[in-house]
């Protein structure tokens, strides 16, 4: 297989994980205000980062209607991937705790 035909990934252009995390929370709770409360962040920050993610991905992730946000098809895809990333990060943290406990206490 010709390696020049393989797609490349510009890691500098990847969305910030926190922006994806904010989008996942907005999808879960339905409003930016509620997501900000759960994330213990300012509502304007969550809103700004959500817009930045939409801009970076080049598509709206939510339909906005009367203060509620409903994921678009692209938003559902981000939610699905974001939840998997979140689960992997949680698994990594769990593994790291086990390793630290094993090193510290020989468990």
């Amino acid at each position: 297989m010709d390696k020049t035909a393989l797609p490349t990934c510009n890691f500098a252009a990847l969305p910030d994980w926190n922006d994806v995390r904010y989008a996942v929370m907005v999808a879960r709770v339905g409003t930016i205000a509620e997501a900000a409360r759960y994330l213990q962040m300012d509502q304007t920050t969550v809103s700004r980062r959500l817009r930045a993610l939409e801009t970076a991905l080049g598509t709206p992730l939510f339909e906005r209607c009367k203060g509620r946000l409903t994921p678009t098809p692209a938003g559902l895809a981000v939610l699905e991937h974001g939840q998997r990333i979140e689960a992997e990060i949680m698994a990594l943290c769990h593994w790291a705790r086990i390793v630290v406990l094993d090193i510290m206490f020989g468990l």
Side-chain angles (χ1 to χ4, degrees):
M1 177 176 210
D2 180 16
K3 290 185 179 184
T4 60
L6 295 175
T8 60
C9 183
N10 179 359
F11 288 101
L14 289 175
D16 183 283
W17 158 244
N18 283 321
D19 295 349
V20 174
R21 186 171 62 100
Y22 304 157
V24 168
M25 185 57 71
V26 169
R28 284 182 179 147
V29 299
T31 69
I32 289 174
E34 192 69 10
R37 190 173 71 75
Y38 276 100
L39 295 164
Q40 298 179 343
M41 302 191 67
D42 187 70
Q43 182 176 340
T44 56
T45 301
V46 175
S47 181
R48 184 173 34 84
R49 298 314 311 158
L50 187 57
R51 292 272 186 204
L53 180 59
E54 290 177 320
T55 299
L57 296 176
T59 187
L61 300 177
F62 295 92
E63 293 177 2
R64 291 154 172 86
C65 182
K66 298 179 184 176
R68 301 281 312 163
L69 281 80
T70 305
T72 62
L76 290 172
V78 168
L79 175 63
E80 179 183 327
H81 289 283
Q83 288 174 326
R84 284 200 309 263
I85 294 167
E86 184 179 60
E88 288 297 325
I89 290 171
M90 291 173 71
L92 176 62
C93 290
H94 178 72
W95 171 83
R97 277 189 222 105
I98 291 170
V99 169
V100 167
L101 287 173
D102 187 44
I103 292 169
M104 291 177 65
F105 302 108
L107 299 175

